[in-house]
Amino acid sequence: MPTKYIFYTGGVVSSVGKGVTAAATGRLLKERGFQVAVQKLDPYINVDPGTMSPYQHGEVYVLDDGAETDLDLGHYERFIDVHLSRVCNMTTGQIYAEVIGKERRGDYLGGTIQVIPHITNEIKKRITAVAKATGAEIVLVEVGGTVGDIESLPFLESLRQLRGDLGRENTLYIHVTWLPYIGATGELKTKPTQHSVAELRSIGINPDMVVARSDYPVDKSIIDKIALFCDVDKRAVVPMVTSQNLYTVPLLLEEKGVAEYILEKMGLQARRKPDWTEWKRLTAQVEKTRPTVRIALVGKYVELHDAYMSVREALKHAALHLGVDVQIDWIHSADLEKGKSLDIVSAADGILVPGGFGSRGIEGKIQAAGIARTGKIPYFGLCLGMQLMVVELTRFALNDESANSTEFDRTTTHPVIDLMPDQHEITDMGGTMRLGLYTCKLVPGTLTQAAYQQEQVEERHRHRFEFNNAYREKLAEAGLRIAGLSPDGRLVEIVELADHPFMVGTQFHPEFLSRPNRPHPLFKAFLQAACDRAKIETHPLTANQVPVKDKN
Ligand code: GLN
């Protein structure tokens, strides 16, 4: 079958939920036996989000191949349970870098380089490259931003051209919009949706489906109105009311017959009946009243929860599988330095210190690790959180407050975390960290190995600094156990503390591989330890209730 393409655009407001809609429709198609991949087109001129502040952009999501990508790729991977590739995130920066590089080499043989066709051709080339790179039969393509933005015009023009290039039956356009609610009259308004569809049509794209997001129930008259004014079938106007639990979205779209409509339009037949048993069981857990376990997440960008999207989701996955509810107390690490929020952290059932860069708030995170160590509170350190757990222990064990990571103090007497040797010569900041999947050998007899039940694992990385091997012995005496190492034994990947219920730090980011149907073993073990501390009885889903690993 020819590769099929579904294009997602957004209207009215940003953050309207295009990413989740694309991810959820991807799941509907996968449930019907199709190989699916999703690609995000980001209109900004950065080559990738790797060098952007999380305040600007939210989390940087890392793929197996080390690509630093938009956080929507996290939604795609979690909903569809796929491993995506570098080609699945394209930015304006990448397109221009490529085209200008070719121009400098003389590849265009004297031509004038223009947005159409040179930029649009490069965009189209990268869209059609996804199927080959991922083996997908249906490629979903989400355009970042909102229709009407200047920056996304070349992307939209490329999508318009693709209908002609690839054929009407092989392309489908889905426009995701927002229905504002006027409190005074108690009405949902369709006018912004009409205008945004009109804008899209002026570019030459007639959407085949309109997904209308709303905080309030959408009645039939609204659907009829959108169908009439936007020239789409009534069946293709899909109201999507805000849900507290993201993972209900595929079920919602299933109920509205979205997959049937898509398949019909593209001349496809489902290969199997979707089986939502496990998915329903998981989402049903959310509806249940469950005991609450409290986790203090001590970070630097806590005002913006999107900066820790995968960590939050991984905690939720583990909680669903243990039959508990997780409440995250978002703690600003700089507050701890001022003596604020210490009571919340000390009273938490578990403390999690996620990844991060730069010196702001570092001492607060070290304090959090100290509270966890001395109070025997379960602690989970991810990347920077692992490094600071080591710094805290060193300060205590060697009785020297100046121990540090050289990221924060170049002249420290105890550089217990130091730049990796191959990082010394690097001057470019973009895409030059130790990135992506690396193997880690687990040490038998450790908490970590008991959690994973495997001899070795592969996890995703994003760091420049590492544990300084000169401190292995000294810290072993203080109770630090190395629980995971690179296959050559050189890089410390996981540490844990002896005589502590659960104090584990990973140099990698386990949060990127957690899935709603397959929570990450370390997140599960951490949350179990937190529940034990809070004397909360867990009800783990039994083996036959847990979906098996699903390969796409
Ligand atoms: N800043 C640290 C490093 O580069 C930690 C990185 C992270 O937490 N992702 O090693």
Side-chain angles (χ1 to χ4, degrees):
M1 98 184 200
T3 311
K4 305 281 180 178
Y5 292 86
I6 306 179
F7 302 119
Y8 295 79
T9 52
V12 183
V13 285
S14 57
S15 306
V16 70
K18 276 187 313 255
V20 171
T21 309
T25 33
R27 183 78 211 188
L28 300 188
L29 297 168
K30 183 178 177 180
E31 282 296 326
R32 286 165 170 78
F34 296 100
Q35 309 258 37
V36 180
V38 197
Q39 184 185 42
K40 175 86 192 278
L41 315 188
D42 278 312
Y44 49 72
I45 299 171
N46 303 61
V47 169
D48 62 42
T51 53
M52 270 191 239
S53 158
Y55 281 129
Q56 299 270 323
H57 187 269
E59 157 185 286
V60 174
Y61 190 79
V62 182
L63 304 181
D64 284 351
D65 61 14
E68 297 174 275
T69 71
D70 186 76
L71 56 75
D72 273 325
L73 276 86
H75 289 313
Y76 309 155
E77 287 204 339
R78 285 187 284 269
F79 274 83
I80 312 175
D81 200 9
V82 277
H83 289 247
L84 294 174
S85 127
R86 172 176 300 283
V87 298
C88 296
N89 198 185
M90 171 199 321
T91 69
T92 299
Q94 287 167 16
I95 301 297
Y96 275 84
E98 177 79 26
V99 170
I100 293 170
K102 283 188 194 163
E103 187 271 336
R104 292 289 82 183
R105 282 200 306 271
D107 291 4
Y108 294 110
L109 298 172
T112 305
I113 315 305
Q114 294 178 300
V115 172
I116 305 173
H118 300 95
I119 296 296
T120 46
N121 280 352
E122 185 61 35
I123 295 172
K124 292 196 291 181
K125 193 181 95 196
R126 286 170 181 242
I127 291 176
T128 48
V130 173
K132 202 156 169 212
T134 60
E137 304 165 284
I138 307 180
V139 178
L140 317 186
V141 181
E142 176 193 349
V143 185
T146 311
V147 168
D149 296 346
I150 292 176
E151 295 98 333
S152 50
L153 278 174
F155 286 134
L156 296 175
E157 167 61 14
S158 307
L159 301 194
R160 181 194 71 76
Q161 293 178 18
L162 280 172
R163 178 156 260 185
D165 296 354
L166 302 166
R168 183 163 289 274
E169 67 292 355
N170 298 324
T171 49
L172 195 92
Y173 299 85
I174 299 184
H175 192 49
V176 186
T177 73
W178 176 251
L179 304 177
Y181 179 80
I182 308 286
T185 49
E187 280 177 299
L188 282 174
K189 293 304 213 180
T190 64
K191 191 75 80 192
T193 296
Q194 295 174 37
H195 282 174
S196 140
V197 170
E199 174 99 34
L200 199 55
R201 293 172 74 180
S202 75
I203 301 167
I205 296 176
N206 292 342
D208 299 287
M209 181 180 276
V210 171
V211 175
R213 287 266 296 100
S214 157
D215 277 343
Y216 295 86
V218 182
D219 64 32
K220 193 172 167 298
S221 67
I222 300 275
I223 294 175
D224 292 351
K225 205 164 171 183
I226 296 174
L228 180 67
F229 282 96
C230 300
D231 200 20
V232 287
D233 292 343
K234 285 182 190 171
R235 277 176 66 203
V237 178
V238 182
M240 201 160 91
V241 179
T242 306
S243 157
Q244 281 312 311
N245 172 15
L246 281 187
Y247 297 112
T248 57
V249 175
L251 299 176
L252 211 116
L253 297 182
E254 178 70 59
E255 204 182 289
K256 305 276 180 215
V258 166
E260 279 73 31
Y261 191 83
I262 293 176
L263 294 188
E264 210 176 289
K265 278 273 170 180
M266 298 193 127
L268 293 173
Q269 297 259 303
R271 294 188 186 136
R272 57 174 157 96
K273 263 184 77 174
D275 179 3
W276 295 104
T277 330
E278 297 300 345
W279 197 276
K280 279 187 181 157
R281 206 192 311 269
L282 279 181
T283 50
Q285 288 272 59
V286 182
E287 315 298 325
K288 283 192 203 152
T289 345
R290 294 160 293 153
T292 304
V293 58
R294 287 187 40 216
I295 301 299
L297 189 149
V298 183
K300 175 176 172 185
Y301 314 103
V302 288
E303 304 90 324
L304 185 75
H305 296 181
D306 276 6
Y308 302 110
M309 174 82 82
S310 296
V311 175
R312 185 180 60 184
E313 293 306 308
L315 283 170
K316 280 202 229 159
H317 301 160
L320 281 174
H321 279 255
L322 292 177
V324 298
D325 192 12
V326 60
Q327 182 198 314
I328 302 177
D329 291 324
W330 301 88
I331 309 292
H332 210 300
S333 54
D335 279 352
L336 298 181
E337 294 167 8
K338 297 178 210 138
K340 287 196 269 180
S341 304
L342 284 166
D343 48 338
I344 306 177
V345 176
S346 310
D349 303 323
I351 299 172
L352 189 149
V353 178
F357 298 83
S359 49
R360 183 167 61 90
I362 288 300
E363 290 301 319
K365 293 181 186 172
I366 295 175
Q367 264 173 283
I371 294 171
R373 181 176 57 77
T374 51
K376 296 221 188 294
I377 305 172
Y379 175 95
F380 196 14
L382 313 178
C383 203
L384 180 64
M386 170 267 198
Q387 298 176 351
L388 297 180
M389 159 183 165
V390 172
V391 169
E392 195 281 328
L393 186 73
T394 314
R395 287 184 182 183
F396 166 73
L398 305 185
N399 197 16
D400 186 342
E401 280 303 300
S402 70
N404 214 331
S405 159
T406 51
E407 183 178 1
F408 314 117
D409 180 0
R410 277 172 202 231
T411 57
T412 170
T413 39
H414 291 296
V416 66
I417 303 293
D418 200 6
L419 204 58
M420 288 187 273
D422 48 2
Q423 288 282 333
H424 282 288
E425 305 303 318
I426 289 175
T427 48
D428 273 2
M429 286 295 120
T432 54
M433 283 186 255
R434 180 171 179 248
L435 289 165
L437 219 53
Y438 285 92
T439 303
C440 164
K441 279 199 171 336
L442 302 178
V443 177
T446 55
L447 275 176
T448 305
Q449 207 266 337
Y452 275 113
Q453 299 277 323
Q454 272 168 262
E455 282 173 21
Q456 65 177 47
V457 291
E458 296 207 310
E459 294 278 2
R460 294 180 182 174
H461 297 68
R462 181 172 186 248
H463 65 117
R464 285 186 209 285
F465 292 81
E466 62 165 333
F467 183 97
N468 181 344
N469 288 326
Y471 288 84
R472 278 198 199 184
E473 272 172 36
K474 281 191 202 99
L475 292 180
E477 286 163 26
L480 195 76
R481 273 199 305 246
I482 291 171
L485 284 164
S486 56
D488 63 3
R490 202 180 64 79
L491 291 176
V492 174
E493 296 275 24
I494 312 173
V495 293
E496 52 183 61
L497 196 61
D499 297 324
H500 190 288
F502 189 98
M503 188 142 187
V504 174
T506 61
Q507 186 54 81
F508 48 80
H509 291 270
E511 67 271 26
F512 295 139
L513 291 183
S514 180
R515 301 285 179 263
N517 57 340
R518 209 165 1 92
H520 192 283
L522 288 180
F523 272 89
K524 213 167 140 188
F526 166 59
L527 218 61
Q528 179 64 55
C531 290
D532 292 345
R533 178 177 172 85
K535 302 205 167 35
I536 292 170
E537 204 184 318
T538 57
H539 300 281
L541 292 181
T542 55
N544 63 358
Q545 294 171 310
V546 179
V548 285
K549 185 168 179 177
D550 200 356
K551 275 230 159 192
N552 185 355

